């Protein structure tokens, strides 16, 4: 039972355009969401997070949108750069109680120069 | 320089042998985690610890063991009972077990020969 899903295993985008990575979750108790970027043979690097009290959070070229009713979040990268080429993971957690972080299976982004 | 240090980076193990992966953090985080990533797969939780002297099984704990005798250390032992141990292992930590950013080490590659 996959509680966090990234249904697109890969995405190719032209340099300078917008990259949109999607993530769906099934557990309505999740209220804290994170995005990570990962290069091969390295640990994931934290990019941006969002709490369920918000529907948008922005940090530079990265914006995360949360649609609680649809249990869906997305990461927008604008403008996309070749250095953004990596695997992106979304993760979900709860801010109360005891719970673990659940990760999606990742989306491989390729930004074409 | 705060962070999470995993060692060794690369490890080869003969079938039937136990091996221990080290994870040390100097972030003063309460919670620590071990994840496993297989090629083309997402991150799967092996074990997590919310506080010293306490740990819980994750989704794929069979064939693994951990200890949390010190706040900064969370070693993972891959036992001979683990049927498919060849993978990339990631250690992570967060300030608390919920609602915080989780930070990762650089990972350890384990290959069974």
């Amino acid at each position: 039972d996959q509680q966090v899903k990234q249904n697109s295993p890969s995405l190719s985008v032209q340099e300078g355009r917008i990259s949109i990575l999607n993530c769906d979750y099934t557990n309505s108790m999740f209220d804290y969401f994170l995005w990570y970027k990962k290069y091969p043979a390295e640990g994931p690097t934290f990019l941006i997070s969002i709490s369920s009290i918000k529907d948008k959070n922005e940090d530079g070229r990265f914006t995360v949108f949360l649609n609680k009713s649809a249990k869906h979040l997305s990461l927008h990268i604008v403008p996309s750069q070749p250095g953004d080429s990596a695997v992106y993971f979304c993760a979900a957690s709860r801010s109360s109680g005891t719970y673990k972080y659940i990760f999606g299976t990742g989306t491989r982004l390729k930004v074409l120069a | 320089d705060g962070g999470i240090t995993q060692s060794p980076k690369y490890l080869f193990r003969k079938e039937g042998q136990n091996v221990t992966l080290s994870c040390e953090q100097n972030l003063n985080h309460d919670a620590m985690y071990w994840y496993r990533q297989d090629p083309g797969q997402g991150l799967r939780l092996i074990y997590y610890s919310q506080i010293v002297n306490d740990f819980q099984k994750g989704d794929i704990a069979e064939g693994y063991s951990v200890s949390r005798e010190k706040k900064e250390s969370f070693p993972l032992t891959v036992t001979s009972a683990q049927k498919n141990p060849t993978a990339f292992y990631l250690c992570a930590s967060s300030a608390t077990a919920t609602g915080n950013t989780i930070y990762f080490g650089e990972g350890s590659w384990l290959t069974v020969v």
Side-chain angles (χ1 to χ4, degrees):
Chain A
D1 175 28
Q2 192 137 12
Q3 297 186 66
V4 178
K5 299 178 184 179
Q6 293 177 256
N7 292 318
S8 298
S10 64
L11 174 69
S12 290
V13 171
Q14 215 48 49
E15 181 180 5
R17 306 295 289 267
I18 184 171
S19 295
I20 300 176
L21 298 104
N22 295 302
C23 180
D24 297 294
Y25 61 97
T26 57
N27 190 337
S28 58
M29 300 300 288
F30 289 142
D31 58 7
Y32 189 68
F33 305 89
L34 311 96
W35 282 95
Y36 288 83
K37 174 181 179 180
K38 186 182 182 299
Y39 294 116
E42 293 184 11
T45 302
F46 170 71
L47 281 176
I48 192 168
S49 63
I50 188 166
S51 164
S52 60
I53 60 173
K54 294 184 174 182
D55 54 19
K56 176 183 173 181
N57 189 26
E58 198 170 347
D59 184 1
R61 296 186 298 116
F62 302 94
T63 303
V64 56
F65 295 92
L66 176 63
N67 182 333
K68 290 184 288 293
S69 60
K71 295 191 182 69
H72 176 83
L73 62 154
S74 60
L75 174 68
H76 293 210
I77 306 173
V78 184
S80 301
Q81 300 172 353
D84 295 330
S85 297
V87 177
Y88 289 78
F89 291 97
C90 65
S93 180
R94 286 174 62 179
S95 58
S96 63
T98 56
Y99 213 76
K100 51 203 179 191
Y101 295 80
I102 305 296
F103 283 79
T105 52
T107 297
R108 181 176 302 278
L109 173 66
K110 183 181 281 189
V111 180
L112 307 169
Chain B
D1 190 20
I4 302 169
T5 302
Q6 289 187 238
S7 62
K9 177 72 175 178
Y10 300 95
L11 185 61
F12 295 88
R13 189 195 90 176
K14 291 183 180 178
E15 281 197 33
Q17 285 183 337
N18 292 355
V19 64
T20 297
L21 305 179
S22 169
C23 178
E24 304 277 331
Q25 55 98 359
N26 60 5
L27 301 167
N28 201 33
H29 284 172
D30 283 330
M32 296 187 73
Y33 313 79
W34 275 103
Y35 287 87
R36 166 179 171 149
Q37 185 187 22
D38 293 283
Q41 301 294 317
L43 307 178
R44 293 186 291 167
L45 182 64
I46 304 172
Y47 267 98
Y48 64 107
S49 168
Q50 297 175 62
I51 201 164
V52 175
N53 293 321
D54 180 69
F55 50 84
Q56 285 86 39
K57 292 181 179 180
D59 301 317
I60 55 165
E62 185 176 349
Y64 299 96
S65 66
V66 294
S67 63
R68 186 86 188 277
E69 296 174 3
K70 297 186 293 182
K71 186 175 186 177
E72 60 270 21
S73 178
F74 192 41
L76 173 74
T77 297
V78 185
T79 74
S80 56
Q82 168 49 233
K83 293 190 173 74
N84 297 296
T86 295
F88 189 53
Y89 290 87
L90 287 159
C91 179
S93 71
S94 62
T96 61
T98 57
N100 292 106
T101 302
I102 179 173
Y103 295 96
F104 285 86
E106 288 300 303
S108 293
W109 273 107
L110 173 63
T111 303
V112 174
V113 296

